[in-house]
Amino acid sequence: MSLLLTLLGGLSGGALRYGTERYLRSLFRSPTHWIPFVLNFVGCFLFGALAGWAYLHRMSSGMMLLGGVVTAFSFCGYEAGRALAHGRHGVALLNSLTGWFIGLTAAGMGVFISLG
């Protein structure tokens, strides 16, 4: 059952993430690199909050769904890959490190708030 929830979470997550990002990009017609960053922050925060709530209620399967639905750290992978392809190694490293740092910080904040 856990595998099925993980697969469904990843499937719905990819579609939700793609749709949300495209919608936000259409609102801000200029190229904006902060949209995936903000989506990852919000997703990691919600994931942390759900993880804390699930810990309090001794549940675990819902975490997989939200983890797949909202965040995939695509900012780290895709943006860093594009920067590397263009020979911008420093930018790729900075994108990866800041993405992971902000994601972990957001998740920690979510856990902290949910455990209250």
Side-chain angles (χ1 to χ4, degrees):
M1 186 60 153
S2 294
L3 178 61
L4 179 61
L5 285 175
T6 302
L7 292 173
L8 289 174
L11 177 66
S12 60
L16 179 63
R17 174 66 183 251
Y18 179 76
T20 303
E21 194 166 334
R22 285 201 47 144
Y23 172 73
L24 291 175
R25 286 188 188 276
S26 72
L27 290 178
F28 302 100
R29 304 226 189 267
S30 64
T32 54
H33 299 288
W34 59 268
I35 291 172
F37 201 79
V38 169
L39 287 175
N40 279 338
F41 179 85
V42 170
C44 289
F45 176 81
L46 292 174
F47 185 74
L50 181 62
W53 181 84
Y55 175 77
L56 287 175
H57 294 85
R58 292 176 171 50
M59 300 171 70
S60 64
S61 59
M63 290 174 28
M64 289 178 272
L65 185 62
L66 184 63
V69 168
V70 180
T71 185
F73 280 103
S74 65
F75 180 78
C76 295
Y78 180 71
E79 295 292 330
R82 281 184 29 186
L84 283 173
H86 290 94
R88 298 168 49 203
H89 298 29
V91 171
L93 179 63
L94 185 63
N95 278 347
S96 295
L97 292 177
T98 56
W100 280 99
F101 177 75
I102 294 297
L104 290 174
T105 301
M109 289 169 48
V111 170
F112 179 75
I113 288 173
S114 69
L115 293 178

